Amino acid sequence: VVGQDIAADELRVDPDAVALVRAFWQAGRPIGAICHAPWLLIEAGIVRGLSLTSYHSVRTDVVNAGGHWRDQAVVTDQGLVTSRNPDDLPAFCAKLIEEIGEGRHERRAA
């Protein structure tokens, strides 16, 4: 799909967007990211040591940022829910709802 990666690329250079994601992470709030959105997580400095997934073209960026990339429909680590693409939305939405229901995750740093 043309355009999805451009929007994610623009978000990751927006200081307000990066600060918002970092603040959510530091507060222990669940975060969901799908497709190219892990670029924003990388920019916020929160992927090191975590398992996550993304659109296949973002894999190298995740690995270079210290994340553990998985080719799965949904990956959850410390309240971070990630998926590869819109085909994964059913699993992504179900897991994100579950994580929101669990509330804060109190063991994070960014």
Side-chain angles (χ1 to χ4, degrees):
V1 175
V2 176
Q4 288 179 334
D5 57 336
I6 294 170
D9 193 42
E10 290 173 0
L11 266 179
R12 72 178 172 165
V13 297
D14 181 326
D16 293 331
V18 173
L20 178 66
V21 168
R22 190 176 295 122
F24 261 62
W25 185 253
Q26 290 171 339
R29 305 260 186 224
I31 295 176
I34 191 168
C35 279
H36 293 80
W39 274 339
L40 185 54
L41 305 173
I42 292 166
E43 197 64 35
I46 63 173
V47 303
R48 181 166 303 286
L50 296 178
S51 293
L52 63 150
T53 193
S54 65
Y55 195 70
H56 65 87
S57 65
V58 180
R59 176 184 184 167
T60 300
D61 299 312
V62 168
V63 171
N64 287 341
H68 306 287
W69 193 86
R70 306 285 183 253
D71 186 13
Q72 297 170 216
V74 65
V75 176
T76 304
D77 194 343
Q78 299 186 39
L80 176 63
V81 180
T82 55
S83 285
R84 301 168 297 191
N85 59 58
D87 292 339
D88 298 333
L89 277 171
F92 176 75
C93 292
K95 191 61 176 173
L96 189 55
I97 289 167
E98 179 183 323
E99 290 297 311
I100 291 169
E102 289 178 7
R104 290 186 181 209
H105 293 72
E106 299 295 338
R107 73 304 50 2
R108 302 174 174 167

